[in-house]
């Protein structure tokens, strides 16, 4: 009986580590950099490079896009694809780069 209990704990433990998997902010940021690049091929591009924008500002903009509080074209669709935690993580990552 004891052995079964240990097994249950082990399974529950590994499941929770899947749920709380580390967010790979760098991988998400690669996606952002497709558009938000510092060396845009088009010098007239209106898409911000996000350089010198704080993590707090990026995070707030992303949440506003996600919850339709900020009218826009592309970003609401993109932001809806990520959890709030992922958006916070990528905002933090981008503000450091
Ligand atoms: C396909 C191109 C594209 C990708 C990919 C993209 N963006 Fe955007 N982003 C835009 C456009 C276009 C705007 C202007 C708002 C709009 O119309 O959606 C914008 C606006 C923003 C703004 C507001 C900037 C400002 O000056 O107001 C932030 C912050 C932002 N994006 C962050 C991100 C993050 C973080 C990612 C990655 C998760 C990302 N974007 C991925 C195209 C893109």
């Amino acid at each position: 009986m004891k052995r079964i209990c240990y097994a249950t704990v082990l399974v529950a433990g590994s499941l929770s580590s899947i749920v709380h998997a580390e967010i790979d902010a760098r991988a998400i940021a690669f996606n952002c950099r497709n558009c938000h690049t510092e060396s845009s091929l088009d010098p007239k591009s209106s898409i911000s490079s996000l350089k010198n924008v704080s993590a707090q500002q990026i995070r707030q903009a992303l949440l506003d896009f996600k919850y339709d509080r900020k009218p826009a074209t592309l970003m609401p669709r993109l932001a809806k694809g990520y959890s709030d935690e992922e958006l916070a993580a990528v905002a933090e990552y981008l503000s450091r780069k």
Side-chain angles (χ1 to χ4, degrees), residues 31-63:
N31 182 23
C32 315
R33 286 288 179 223
N34 276 330
C35 297
H36 296 279
T37 165
E38 283 169 37
S39 53
S40 173
L41 294 176
D42 178 2
K44 296 190 296 294
S45 170
S46 58
I47 301 180
S48 152
S49 71
L50 300 181
K51 206 174 158 60
N52 302 322
V53 185
S54 74
Q56 171 58 31
Q57 283 172 292
I58 298 176
R59 181 168 172 261
Q60 192 56 55
L62 292 172
L63 291 172

